Each structure stands twice: as C-alpha cells, then as structure tokens.
Amino acid sequence: MSDRGYSYKGSGTNSLGNHYCARDYGDSAANSNAYHYSNLDGSYYYSNPNGSTYYNNGNGGSTYKSPSSQSSSSGYGSSSAGGSSGSGAGKQ
C-alpha cells in the first residue's frame, strides 16, 4: 500500500483504444479493487473504493449509484432515465 492509500494494479489500452486503470485499496475499503474505464466515444465508468459507481455516456447522460445502491441519473431524457447504470463498464 502506498502513501496514497492504494496500490497500483495496472492500466492499459485495448485494441479499440479504450483506457483502463485498476487500483487496490486494501481490505478496509468497501470495494478494494476499484477501477475506471475511459472510452474513445467519450464515455467513462468509475467503480470507486467506497462502493459507489459513476457512468457518463459522453453525451450528457450520467448515472451515479451510491454505496447504498441509491441511483441518480441525469441528462438521458424522459424515455431512458436511469437505464444505464454502469453499462459503460463492458467497453474495455
């Protein structure tokens, strides 16, 4: 564990040009294996050490899920609000 409170696990870019980074926050974190992705289409996804997640679709839509699984979305329009919690994670 570094002075920053995490150990670096790895990062890279896949064949599609999408970036990922992973860190280990240790046993005391709700989610010890936190990571994020950023994609060429402008979308990105964070899985945070406190257990929350955040997804931004790169087009003004975003979804935040708290550690207690309360979800909040914005920018998707009325027809698809809340429908993309974490869907960007699969774009690695």
Side-chain angles (χ1 to χ4, degrees), residues 1-33:
M1 191 76 54
S2 73
D3 291 340
R4 296 179 185 170
Y6 63 84
S7 296
Y8 176 75
K9 290 183 75 174
S11 66
T13 303
N14 69 7
S15 62
L16 300 175
N18 301 319
H19 167 79
Y20 74 92
C21 179
R23 298 173 177 171
D24 183 348
Y25 284 82
D27 293 337
S28 63
N31 174 21
S32 62
N33 295 308

Side-chain angles (χ1 to χ4, degrees), residues 14-91:
N14 69 7
S15 62
L16 300 175
N18 301 319
H19 167 79
Y20 74 92
C21 179
R23 298 173 177 171
D24 183 348
Y25 284 82
D27 293 337
S28 63
N31 174 21
S32 62
N33 295 308
Y35 62 91
H36 71 266
Y37 294 105
S38 56
N39 303 303
L40 287 179
D41 65 3
S43 66
Y44 55 94
Y45 177 81
Y46 280 82
S47 176
N48 299 308
N50 68 356
S52 68
T53 61
Y54 180 78
Y55 171 68
N56 185 298
N57 69 1
N59 292 310
S62 62
T63 301
Y64 171 78
K65 186 179 282 188
S66 72
S68 62
S69 295
Q70 297 291 324
S71 188
S72 174
S73 296
S74 65
Y76 288 109
S78 60
S79 64
S80 61
S84 296
S85 178
S87 63
K91 290 189 174 184

